[in-house]
Protein backbone atom coordinates (compact mmCIF):
# COMPACT_ATOMS: atom_id res chain seq x y z
CA UNK A 1 0.00 0.00 0.00
CA UNK A 2 1.36 3.37 -1.00
CA UNK A 3 1.50 6.20 1.50
CA UNK A 4 -1.65 8.30 1.51
CA UNK A 5 0.40 11.45 0.89
CA UNK A 6 1.71 10.05 -2.40
CA UNK A 7 -1.79 9.10 -3.55
CA UNK A 8 -3.13 12.54 -2.64
CA UNK A 9 -0.23 14.23 -4.44
CA UNK A 10 -1.10 12.33 -7.62
CA UNK A 11 -4.74 13.42 -7.34
CA UNK A 12 -3.66 17.05 -6.92
CA UNK A 13 -1.34 16.70 -9.90
CA UNK A 14 -4.17 15.34 -12.08
CA UNK A 15 -6.37 18.28 -11.11
CA UNK A 16 -3.59 20.75 -11.99
CA UNK A 17 -3.03 19.12 -15.38
CA UNK A 18 -6.77 19.23 -16.13
CA UNK A 19 -6.98 22.87 -15.04
CA UNK A 20 -4.19 24.04 -17.37
CA UNK A 21 -4.90 21.66 -20.29
CA UNK A 22 -6.77 24.13 -22.49
CA UNK A 23 -4.28 26.95 -21.81
CA UNK A 24 -1.34 24.65 -22.60
CA UNK A 25 -3.03 23.64 -25.85
CA UNK A 26 -3.49 27.28 -26.89
CA UNK A 27 0.09 28.20 -26.02
CA UNK A 28 1.46 25.22 -27.93
CA UNK A 29 -0.64 26.04 -30.99
CA UNK A 30 0.67 29.63 -30.91
CA UNK A 31 4.27 28.37 -30.42
CA UNK A 32 4.50 30.57 -27.31
CA UNK A 33 7.26 28.70 -25.47
CA UNK A 34 7.86 31.61 -23.10
CA UNK A 35 4.24 31.39 -21.94
CA UNK A 36 4.54 27.63 -21.55
CA UNK A 37 7.63 28.02 -19.39
CA UNK A 38 5.74 30.38 -17.06
CA UNK A 39 3.09 27.76 -16.26
CA UNK A 40 3.55 25.64 -13.13
CA UNK A 41 5.73 22.58 -13.59
CA UNK A 42 2.97 20.28 -12.44
CA UNK A 43 0.75 21.55 -15.28
CA UNK A 44 2.63 19.26 -17.67
CA UNK A 45 0.96 15.86 -18.23
CA UNK A 46 4.40 14.25 -18.54
CA UNK A 47 4.82 14.57 -14.77
CA UNK A 48 1.81 12.37 -14.00
CA UNK A 49 2.49 8.84 -12.82
CA UNK A 50 0.21 5.85 -13.22
CA UNK A 51 -0.81 4.21 -9.95
CA UNK A 52 -2.87 1.19 -9.00
CA UNK A 53 -6.43 2.38 -8.40
CA UNK A 54 -6.87 -0.03 -5.47
CA UNK A 55 -3.75 0.40 -3.36
CA UNK A 56 -1.70 3.13 -5.10
CA UNK A 57 1.28 0.98 -6.07
CA UNK A 58 3.32 2.86 -8.72
CA UNK A 59 5.34 -0.05 -10.15
CA UNK A 60 4.27 -2.94 -12.41
CA UNK A 61 1.16 -1.03 -13.57
CA UNK A 62 -1.05 -2.67 -16.20
CA UNK A 63 -2.69 0.09 -18.25
CA UNK A 64 -5.43 -2.10 -19.68
CA UNK A 65 -6.74 -2.96 -16.21
CA UNK A 66 -5.68 0.11 -14.21
CA UNK A 67 -3.95 -1.89 -11.50
CA UNK A 68 -0.61 -3.39 -10.53
CA UNK A 69 0.35 -6.95 -11.33
CA UNK A 70 -0.11 -8.00 -7.72
CA UNK A 71 -3.68 -6.71 -7.46
CA UNK A 72 -4.44 -8.09 -10.93
CA UNK A 73 -3.25 -11.55 -9.94
CA UNK A 74 -5.23 -11.53 -6.70
CA UNK A 75 -8.47 -10.40 -8.34
CA UNK A 76 -8.02 -12.74 -11.31
CA UNK A 77 -7.65 -15.74 -8.99
CA UNK A 78 -10.83 -14.66 -7.20
CA UNK A 79 -12.62 -14.43 -10.56
CA UNK A 80 -13.46 -10.74 -10.12
CA UNK A 81 -12.05 -9.56 -13.47
CA UNK A 82 -14.45 -10.32 -16.34
CA UNK A 83 -12.93 -12.23 -19.25
CA UNK A 84 -9.77 -13.21 -17.40
CA UNK A 85 -9.04 -16.74 -16.28
CA UNK A 86 -5.99 -18.68 -15.25
CA UNK A 87 -4.17 -20.45 -18.04
CA UNK A 88 -3.43 -24.14 -17.59
CA UNK A 89 -1.69 -26.70 -19.71
Amino acid sequence: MARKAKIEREKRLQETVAHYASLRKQLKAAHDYQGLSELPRDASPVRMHSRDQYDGRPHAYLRKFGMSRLTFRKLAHEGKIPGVRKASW
Side-chain angles (χ1 to χ4, degrees):
M1 177 83 179
R3 290 190 340 224
K4 297 228 187 278
K6 292 284 188 177
I7 295 170
E8 291 303 315
R9 181 184 180 281
E10 282 297 321
K11 287 179 186 174
R12 232 180 15 257
L13 187 68
Q14 289 174 353
E15 291 171 3
T16 305
V17 168
H19 181 263
Y20 286 101
S22 61
L23 180 58
R24 282 183 59 81
K25 190 174 182 178
Q26 291 172 357
L27 292 172
K28 283 185 111 173
H31 300 289
D32 183 8
Y33 299 113
Q34 180 63 32
L36 275 172
S37 67
E38 291 171 1
L39 292 177
R41 275 190 188 193
D42 286 343
S44 175
V46 173
R47 293 175 66 91
M48 289 193 329
H49 197 90
S50 301
R51 286 185 175 269
D52 185 333
Q53 62 187 353
Y54 294 97
D55 63 4
R57 180 182 165 87
H59 297 291
Y61 179 79
L62 303 172
R63 285 185 188 178
K64 184 174 180 180
F65 299 98
M67 61 185 81
S68 68
R69 65 179 177 84
L70 302 174
T71 307
F72 175 81
R73 187 171 191 270
K74 183 180 123 194
L75 294 177
H77 281 299
E78 293 172 2
K80 294 183 178 176
I81 303 175
V84 175
R85 56 180 216 177
K86 188 176 184 310
S88 61
W89 55 85

